[in-house]
């Protein structure tokens, strides 16, 4: 199930696979080695029935992820030249292949997506489909195919790259930030640190918009710290659903540290936008030991260990399972 251990080069059309198969073939046959630069490629998807196969669709591919990019089994982002429907979902250009390198069960992200799908107050729950992935004819392993987290049709509903100061804002916690004419497109608060603005896009974002969303999140942050009036800034129902899925899964990796998506609705409040990144959840992080209990979102001795580990180590931490 794990291509990094075998590196098989096979003609997969002659093998009997239960999972759908995704084939990525770069134009020059070279490996995908960059998170910044896309490589031209074609993508084929064979479903084993149920959906219409995709054959040699023109696309480009690059790496993605935070610490996961440093591991042997690489995660990828695919960008089709034309909007393409995968697994019957709304056609779009951008799709994500999660590697699940540290999750030897290969199902934690999929299980979390299924659980989240029954919660009704999150603006968006990405789907998750296990697939066998081949890159330039080499079996790469079992991946999870999912949507790009973005404001777009069939994904997070909102105004894309709006010009108004109070437009729809999509934020991601833990990103590095991109350069703008006025600095980086990220800001920090005491609780909500390292927030990058994903929508409006870097090319559309104005300084006035930057100041507006920074000050709004800072006000929400202050209200949470004071436990006074935070419901004026935050959609509490979405926060409760997000809290439930993260406590149930004991997801220390994602609990307001990184890969947390926030949506500020135009003229409205701040929502927890969607669940994301559960490969270290469900007791898979070694600092959870054998007793993953307590309130992970609120912080405890385990989260303190987590934060100290991140400070001291630049390489990914090991998993337990």
């Amino acid at each position: 199930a794990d291509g990094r251990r075998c590196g098989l080069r096979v003609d997969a059309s002659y093998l009997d696979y239960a999972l759908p198969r995704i084939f990525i073939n770069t134009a020059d046959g070279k490996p995908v080695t960059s998170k910044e630069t896309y490589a031209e490629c074609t993508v084929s998807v064979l479903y084993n029935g149920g959906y219409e196969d995709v054959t040699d669709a023109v696309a480009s591919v690059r790496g993605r992820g935070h610490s996961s990019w440093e591991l042997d089994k690489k995660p990828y982002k695919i960008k089709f030249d034309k909007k393409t429907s995968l697994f019957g979902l709304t056609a779009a250009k951008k799709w994500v292949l999660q590697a699940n390198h540290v999750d030897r069960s290969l199902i934690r992200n999929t299980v979390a997506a299924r659980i989240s799908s029954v919660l009704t107050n999150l603006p968006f729950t990405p789907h998750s489909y296990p697939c066998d992935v081949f890159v330039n004819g080499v079996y790469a392993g079992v991946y999870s195919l999912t949507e790009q987290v973005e404001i777009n049709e069939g994904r997070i509903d909102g105004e894309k790259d709006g010009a108004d100061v109070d437009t729809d804002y999509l934020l991601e916690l833990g990103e590095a930030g991109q350069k703008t004419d006025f600095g980086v497109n990220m800001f920090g608060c005491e609780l909500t640190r390292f927030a990058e603005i994903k929508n409006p896009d870097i090319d559309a974002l104005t300084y006035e918009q930057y100041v507006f969303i920074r000050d709004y999140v800072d006000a929400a942050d202050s209200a949470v710290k004071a436990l006074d009036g935070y419901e004026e800034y935050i959609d509490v129902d979405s926060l409760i659903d997000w809290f439930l899925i993260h406590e149930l899964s004991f997801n220390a990796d994602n609990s307001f540290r990184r890969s947390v998506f926030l949506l500020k609705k135009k003229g409205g409040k701040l929502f927890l936008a969607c669940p994301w990144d559960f490969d270290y959840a469900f007791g898979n992080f070694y600092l959870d030991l054998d007793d993953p209990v307590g309130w992970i979102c609120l912080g405890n001795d385990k989260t303190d260990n987590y934060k100290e580990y991140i400070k001291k180590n630049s390489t990914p931490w090991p998993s337990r399972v």
Side-chain angles (χ1 to χ4, degrees):
D2 197 339
R4 72 180 188 273
R5 291 202 177 97
C6 55
L8 292 177
R9 181 176 293 277
V10 297
D11 185 347
S13 63
Y14 291 102
L15 298 180
D16 183 16
Y17 281 81
L19 294 177
R21 287 158 286 167
I22 297 179
F23 300 88
I24 302 171
N25 293 297
T26 60
D28 53 11
K30 293 182 180 179
V32 181
T33 58
S34 174
K35 288 202 306 177
E36 288 76 35
T37 304
Y38 279 97
E40 295 181 357
C41 68
T42 60
V43 176
S44 297
V45 184
L46 304 183
Y47 292 105
N48 299 323
Y51 305 98
E52 184 177 352
D53 291 343
V54 176
T55 304
D56 292 333
V58 178
S60 53
V61 61
R62 66 170 175 84
R64 62 166 306 280
H66 302 296
S67 60
S68 58
W69 178 247
E70 305 303 322
L71 304 177
D72 292 339
K73 188 181 177 188
K74 305 298 185 184
Y76 300 110
K77 177 185 285 188
I78 296 171
K79 183 170 69 174
F80 290 98
D81 279 16
K82 298 180 180 179
K83 289 184 177 182
T84 302
S85 174
L86 300 181
F87 289 90
L89 302 176
T90 301
K93 289 186 175 182
K94 296 179 181 178
W95 299 87
V96 168
L97 284 169
Q98 295 173 311
N100 302 318
H101 176 100
V102 301
D103 175 15
R104 296 185 183 182
S105 75
L106 300 171
I107 62 170
R108 281 179 167 85
N109 276 305
T110 299
V111 169
R114 294 292 179 89
I115 294 172
S116 181
S117 68
V118 304
L119 303 174
T120 58
N121 297 300
L122 294 169
F124 177 58
T125 293
H127 297 77
S128 182
Y129 297 95
C131 304
D132 281 308
V133 173
F134 300 80
V135 180
N136 292 325
V138 176
Y139 180 55
V142 176
Y143 283 65
S144 296
L145 185 283
T146 186
E147 298 101 323
Q148 170 77 7
V149 177
E150 61 180 342
I151 291 180
N152 220 328
E153 182 183 2
R155 298 190 173 173
I156 298 175
D157 185 40
E159 185 175 67
K160 189 173 178 64
D161 298 335
D164 294 339
V165 171
D166 188 3
T167 185
D168 289 305
Y169 291 89
L170 180 63
L171 311 175
E172 181 179 358
L173 305 188
E175 274 288 308
Q178 300 182 62
K179 291 290 185 180
T180 69
D181 292 338
F182 49 84
V184 294
N185 68 331
M186 64 182 298
F187 56 87
C189 307
E190 186 171 338
L191 297 178
T192 309
R193 294 172 294 172
F194 311 120
E196 181 179 11
I197 302 170
K198 310 293 284 188
N199 187 81
D201 186 72
I202 188 72
D203 296 325
L205 181 69
T206 67
Y207 181 70
E208 290 74 22
Q209 290 174 326
Y210 169 85
V211 171
F212 174 86
I213 189 60
R214 180 198 65 190
D215 291 351
Y216 187 96
V217 174
D218 184 63
D221 192 272
S222 298
V224 170
K225 286 187 295 182
L227 292 179
D228 182 20
Y230 59 85
E231 64 276 3
E232 297 179 15
Y233 299 95
I234 299 170
D235 180 83
V236 176
D237 289 340
S238 73
L239 176 60
I240 290 172
D241 278 5
W242 189 92
F243 180 84
L244 288 174
I245 183 63
H246 283 79
E247 289 298 336
L248 180 62
S249 63
F250 205 76
N251 191 358
D253 189 31
N254 186 253
S255 296
F256 278 87
R257 289 167 184 83
R258 67 170 114 199
S259 300
V260 179
F261 291 93
L262 304 175
L263 175 68
K264 164 64 174 70
K265 290 298 295 179
K266 184 175 184 177
K269 299 180 181 180
L270 197 66
F271 287 73
L272 275 296
C274 66
W276 189 258
D277 198 5
F278 288 81
D279 53 347
Y280 277 108
F282 299 102
N284 195 33
F285 182 46
Y286 88 106
L287 286 177
D288 295 343
L289 303 177
D290 295 313
D291 190 26
V293 297
W295 298 106
I296 197 65
C297 291
L298 301 181
N300 53 33
D301 58 341
K302 297 180 179 63
T303 62
D304 289 338
N305 290 340
Y306 176 95
K307 287 182 283 189
E308 288 303 314
Y309 189 93
I310 295 303
K311 289 179 182 177
K312 296 177 182 178
N313 295 270
S314 59
T315 56
W317 49 92
S319 66
R320 292 179 51 246
V321 180

